[in-house]
């Protein structure tokens, strides 16, 4: 329990208002449960605000929604799509109850909140944070712009965060209290993460580094190493067998990894390969979109760390802040070598916020009411700035108009709708099961598909977001209807596709500024021969 503030009759009258502010902000500091509950509800409100009125933000989200429905009905052909079979299996029971994409979207957002709460609980437990400190940390990290944005899609990101926190907790305890059982728990969490998201492969080098620095020889003993490998292979055997029962080749999951290492043809944006060094991409993103206190505080902490331990040429002792700093720093360094998008640091954003909070806590101190008040004011103000940026970068790009497109099509078509869409499946969740939407990834592909029985083409501005060439075959034609779709000019959405386009930070935002000059992002064309109303 936090000790009561000292007497407020200090001679330093300038600090007296801060002490009074602490008493105003935390009059019920004895009840940590209620403080944390209020903070949790605030974060949930931020994450879910307006979510019912937006579309799934990208192609992968819609495709995942479709695959989950397929798997729920026994169709396993796409179980290993993107190397994430666990993701489809987790949500398959939900698809037995509803096909509404918004249900999946909201559940995914809540999973991300649960992951953050679990991380805060770890920090509170290990560093003995007071209830109000944990609540401040939860709100500070929970209002992260990118964590809020990523929580509104339907990709494995949210579950990746939850399993990553489980992995962090298990591995930290394994390093603190070594033993074969603790080592196997780490392997179980890692295997679960690999089942949900192939990007958990990126945790392997960091885990091995920490084992070399602090793990001793436990992992390298043959019987322990054999058990760990057996645990890691178990999902591939079990889920590979499940896929084989469904008619999928047993090696389909492993083939995803092969394609990652040896990519085939270039994508619709003419990008091939996965390497692109840019040491400033993520730093610029953190400065422009995340909390403005984040980078300065982390830079100051890094400088102090280098000065304190660089002279001694020794590593800090294994404490939680150092452990989290290794994870965050390695992620930042490693992802700077690859093609970049903000989601590349998905697992690191919560750690960066935690580290910044702990540095501020150490700077102000919490033994006196003045220090506690300063910490509350600075972190609280940083949270308010986060909310301003969340409104500017996320809430302002809503609501969606895909529902209006679907309504227009259903109003003007007596039979099931057959429509082509350019580089996007965004319309699909708003159509009926009997309707058909096909995606054209290029102008040549569009001309080929037009030979089919499709009656409409939706020129979806997602082609600009994905960096595809213009669909010039539609030039000169007059659309039968057109709508704005604010999300398709969002800077965050463009940056999220910079991995797909292969463009750097500044060129991606330049394309976004050019795209937002157009007031209409959804243009519907009737194909020649289509049935008129």
């Amino acid at each position: 329990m936090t000790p009561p503030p000292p007497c407020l009759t200090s001679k330093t009258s300038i600090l007296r208002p801060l002490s009074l502010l602490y008493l105003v902000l935390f009059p019920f500091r004895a009840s940590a449960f209620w403080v944390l509950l209020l903070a949790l509800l605030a974060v949930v409100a931020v994450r879910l605000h307006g979510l019912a009125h937006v579309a799934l933000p990208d192609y992968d989200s819609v495709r995942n929604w479709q695959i989950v429905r397929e798997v729920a009905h026994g169709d396993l052909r796409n179980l290993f799509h993107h190397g994430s079979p666990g993701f489809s299996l987790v949500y398959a029971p939900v698809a037995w109850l509803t096909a509404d994409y918004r249900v999946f979207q909201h559940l995914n957002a809540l999973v991300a909140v649960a992951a953050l709460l679990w991380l805060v609980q770890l920090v509170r437990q290990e560093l003995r944070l007071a209830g109000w400190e944990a609540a401040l940390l939860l709100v500070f990290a929970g209002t992260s712009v990118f964590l809020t944005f990523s929580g509104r899609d339907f990709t494995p990101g949210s579950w990746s965060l939850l399993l990553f926190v489980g992995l962090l907790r298990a591995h930290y305890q394994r390093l603190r209290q070594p033993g074969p059982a603790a080592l196997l728990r780490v392997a179980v969490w890692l295997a679960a993460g690999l089942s949900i998201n192939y990007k958990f492969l990126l945790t392997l080098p960091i885990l091995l580094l920490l084992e070399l620095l602090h793990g001793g020889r436990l992992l390298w003993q043959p019987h322990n190493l054999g058990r760990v490998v057996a645990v890691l292979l178990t999902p591939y055997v079990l889920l590979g067998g499940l896929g084989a029962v469904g008619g999928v080749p047993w090696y389909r999951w492993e083939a995803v990894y092969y394609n990652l290492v040896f990519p085939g043809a270039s994508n619709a944006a003419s990008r091939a390969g996965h390497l692109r060094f840019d040491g400033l991409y993520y730093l610029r993103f953190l400065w422009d979109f995340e909390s403005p206190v984040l980078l300065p505080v982390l830079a100051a902490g890094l400088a102090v760390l280098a000065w304190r331990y660089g002279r001694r040429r020794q590593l800090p002792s294994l404490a939680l802040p150092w452990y989290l700093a290794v994870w965050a720093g390695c992620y930042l360094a490693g992802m700077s070598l690859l093609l970049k998008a903000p989601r590349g640091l998905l697992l690191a954003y919560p750690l960066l916020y935690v580290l910044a909070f702990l540095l501020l806590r150490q700077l102000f101190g919490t033994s006196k009411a003045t220090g506690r008040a300063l910490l509350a004011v600075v972190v609280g103000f940083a949270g308010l700035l986060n909310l301003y940026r969340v409104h500017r970068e996320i809430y302002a790009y809503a609501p969606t108009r895909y529902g209006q497109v679907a309504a227009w099509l259903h109003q003007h078509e007596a039979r099931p709708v057959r429509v082509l869409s350019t580089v996007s499946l965004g319309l699909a969740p708003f159509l009926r099961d009997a309707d058909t939407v096909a995606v054209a990834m290029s102008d040549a592909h569009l001309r080929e598909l037009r030979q089919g029985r499709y009656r409409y083409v939706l020129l979806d501005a997602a082609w600009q977001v994905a960096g595809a060439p213009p669909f010039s075959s539609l030039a000169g034609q007059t659309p039968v209807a057109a709508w704005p779709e604010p999300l398709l000019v969002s800077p965050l959405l463009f940056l999220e596709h910079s991995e797909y386009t292969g463009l750097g930070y500044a060129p991606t935002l330049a394309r976004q500024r050019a795209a937002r000059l157009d007031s209409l992002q959804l243009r519907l064309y009737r194909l020649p021969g289509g049935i008129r109303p």
Side-chain angles (χ1 to χ4, degrees), residues 153-404:
D153 61 22
F154 187 59
T155 67
S158 294
W159 277 95
S160 298
L161 279 172
L162 186 67
L163 295 176
F164 177 65
V165 175
L167 178 64
L168 282 180
R169 295 172 65 98
H171 189 244
Y172 182 67
Q173 292 303 319
R174 169 264 173 281
L175 295 179
R176 295 290 299 272
Q177 299 174 354
L183 194 60
L184 287 182
R185 281 193 292 270
V186 175
V188 169
W189 281 107
L190 180 57
L194 289 169
S195 301
I196 286 286
N197 194 342
Y198 75 89
K199 292 183 178 179
F200 257 74
L201 290 170
L202 299 172
T203 66
L204 288 173
I206 307 175
L207 286 169
L208 291 175
L209 174 63
L210 286 165
E211 285 291 330
L212 291 171
L213 293 178
H214 301 287
R217 298 182 179 180
L218 184 65
L219 174 63
W220 314 110
Q221 295 173 5
H223 60 285
N224 287 332
L225 185 59
R227 291 175 182 175
V228 167
V229 171
V231 170
L232 295 179
L233 291 179
T234 299
Y236 296 90
V237 175
L238 295 179
L239 297 182
L242 177 64
V245 171
V248 180
W250 64 268
Y251 54 83
R252 180 65 61 82
W253 193 354
E254 291 76 9
V256 173
Y257 298 158
Y258 179 86
N259 288 332
L260 290 172
V261 179
F262 304 103
S266 58
N267 61 22
S270 300
R271 189 272 294 167
H274 297 285
L275 297 177
R276 180 188 176 91
F277 175 73
D278 184 352
L280 295 179
Y281 183 102
Y282 290 115
L283 297 180
R284 295 179 68 177
F285 177 81
L286 291 171
W287 179 253
D288 290 341
F289 290 90
E290 294 296 338
S291 173
V293 308
L294 204 60
L295 275 185
V297 170
L298 291 175
L302 179 62
V304 171
L305 189 69
W307 178 79
R308 179 178 299 175
Y309 293 98
R311 295 181 305 165
R312 308 175 191 173
R313 297 184 179 181
Q314 67 180 45
L315 292 174
S317 59
L318 182 63
L320 185 65
W322 165 247
Y323 179 76
L324 299 181
V326 171
W327 275 101
C330 287
Y331 251 101
L332 180 59
M335 295 307 300
S336 295
L337 302 175
L338 304 176
L339 286 169
K340 274 154 284 297
R343 65 180 174 275
L345 287 187
L346 175 65
L347 303 183
Y349 289 107
L351 308 185
L352 296 175
Y353 273 90
V354 167
L355 291 170
F357 177 85
L358 294 179
L359 287 167
L360 289 172
R361 181 175 182 262
Q362 184 175 6
L363 173 65
F364 296 128
T366 55
S367 60
K368 296 182 179 180
T370 302
R372 294 192 287 270
L374 282 171
L375 179 64
V377 169
V378 172
V379 176
F381 182 67
L384 290 176
L385 290 178
N386 280 357
L387 288 176
Y388 167 74
R389 288 185 166 182
V390 165
H391 174 77
R392 184 186 67 185
E393 304 296 346
I394 300 175
Y395 299 159
Y397 294 96
T400 182
R401 304 303 199 284
Y402 281 112
Q404 296 180 19

